[in-house]
Amino acid sequence: DDDDDDDEPENKDVALENAIDVVQMLLKLDAASLDGLITETLRKWKSFMTSPNPQLRQLNCVLLGAIIEMMDNQTATKLVSPQISAFVKAMEDENPRVQQAAVFSMGILAENIPALYAFYAAKILAQLRAVIMAPAAYTREHIYVTENAVASLVRIFRAGRGDRPLSEFLPLLLQLQPVKTDHIEANAIVKYFCEMRSDPAVCTPAILPLMRAWVRCVLDAGVLDDGAKKEAIECFP
C-alpha cells in the first residue's frame, strides 16, 4: 500500500510536467513554424494513444487536454481534431490513470472547443455517467477517475452544453458523494457553486440546503485551499 501511495502522484506529475513543457514550447513558435511541426507531432501522438504502455497513453491525454486549455481555439482544434475519436474512446481505457486524464479533459473540451465537443457530446455524457455509476466508482483505485468525471459534468452543464438545463442537472449531481479526494477538482467545483449561489434560477430554495451540505462535506475533508475555503464559508454559511 505504501508503494502505491508513493507511485501514483509521481507518475501523474511526470505526465503533467511533460505535457506542459511541450505545450509551452509550442506556444513560443510563430504560426509558420507551428504549422511545420503539426504533421510530425500528430504522427507521434497517434502512436502514443495506441501504445501498450499506459504511461504514454496517459501522457497523450494530458497533453491534448493541456493544448485545449492553453492554446487558442483555432490551433487547438487543428491539433486535437485528428485524435478526437481516440481521445473520447480513452475514457473507457482499462488503466485508471489513462481514463482519469481523458475524463478530466472532456469538461475543458466543452468549455473551450464547443463545436468539436458537440459532435461527440452524447457519447461523452454517456461515458461520464457510466464512470460515475460504475460499481467500483468510489474504490481507492478509481476515486480520482470518478471525481474528475463529476467535475467534467459540472463544467459541461455550467457552460450550457449538457443535455438538460443546469437547474435540472444540479439535483442529480447533489445526490452523488461530494468531491473530497481530488483537491484540484474540489476547489474548482466549490468555486463554481459559489458563482451559482447568486443565480436564483439555479440555486433555488430546494437546492440551496443540498448544495450547502455538499460544500460542508468538502470543507470538512480539508482539501480546499485557503481562498476557496474562505469563499465557501462566505457563500454557504
Side-chain angles (χ1 to χ4, degrees):
D1 285 344
D2 291 340
D3 289 341
D4 289 346
D5 289 343
D6 293 339
D7 186 52
E8 182 167 346
E10 180 181 351
N11 287 339
K12 184 178 179 182
D13 290 345
V14 168
L16 181 60
E17 288 170 6
N18 278 309
I20 290 174
D21 286 346
V22 172
V23 176
Q24 288 178 339
M25 181 271 293
L26 293 174
L27 286 169
K28 293 176 183 177
L29 299 175
D30 57 41
S33 299
L34 181 59
D35 283 343
L37 280 176
I38 284 176
T39 301
E40 178 64 15
T41 302
L42 289 178
R43 184 187 67 78
K44 290 181 178 179
W45 289 351
K46 283 184 178 179
S47 69
F48 284 2
M49 194 64 94
T50 57
S51 170
N53 183 341
Q55 286 186 314
L56 287 181
R57 300 198 305 275
Q58 177 198 13
L59 172 59
N60 192 54
C61 290
V62 174
L63 185 57
L64 290 172
I67 285 172
I68 292 167
E69 188 168 24
M70 295 171 65
M71 303 190 81
D72 67 87
N73 185 295
Q74 183 178 358
T75 304
T77 300
K78 191 172 185 178
L79 288 167
V80 174
S81 292
Q83 286 209 71
I84 187 63
S85 181
F87 194 21
V88 172
K89 181 70 175 175
M91 289 196 295
E92 305 173 34
D93 197 281
E94 62 184 16
N95 185 283
R97 291 194 183 111
V98 179
Q99 195 179 22
Q100 178 190 348
V103 160
F104 170 81
S105 297
M106 294 304 142
I108 297 171
L109 177 67
E111 288 179 324
N112 291 279
I113 315 182
L116 194 56
Y117 163 80
F119 193 75
Y120 289 89
K123 183 173 179 58
I124 289 171
L125 288 169
Q127 184 56 32
L128 290 174
R129 287 168 173 144
V131 166
I132 293 168
M133 299 306 295
Y138 290 94
T139 61
R140 182 176 178 273
E141 185 179 18
H142 290 91
I143 185 64
Y144 283 96
V145 182
T146 303
E147 294 194 343
N148 275 257
V150 171
S152 278
L153 283 173
V154 172
R155 290 186 175 95
I156 288 168
F157 280 86
R158 177 176 168 271
R161 300 191 175 104
D163 53 3
R164 65 186 70 189
L166 177 61
S167 58
E168 292 182 18
F169 164 70
L170 270 178
L172 301 176
L173 169 72
L174 294 169
Q175 293 177 26
L176 301 174
Q177 291 187 34
V179 171
K180 54 185 181 180
T181 302
D182 189 321
H183 74 280
I184 294 174
E185 300 296 33
N187 278 275
I189 293 177
V190 166
K191 178 183 176 183
Y192 292 152
F193 278 6
C194 288
E195 291 173 0
M196 296 173 195
R197 177 68 179 85
S198 60
D199 185 348
V202 174
C203 198
T204 65
I207 288 295
L208 182 56
L210 299 176
M211 193 178 284
R212 183 179 286 114
W214 210 90
V215 171
R216 177 55 57 184
C217 284
V218 180
L219 280 167
D220 290 345
V223 293
L224 298 180
D225 61 32
D226 290 342
K229 183 177 180 180
K230 179 181 178 182
E231 191 173 7
I233 293 171
E234 290 175 351
C235 289
F236 301 97

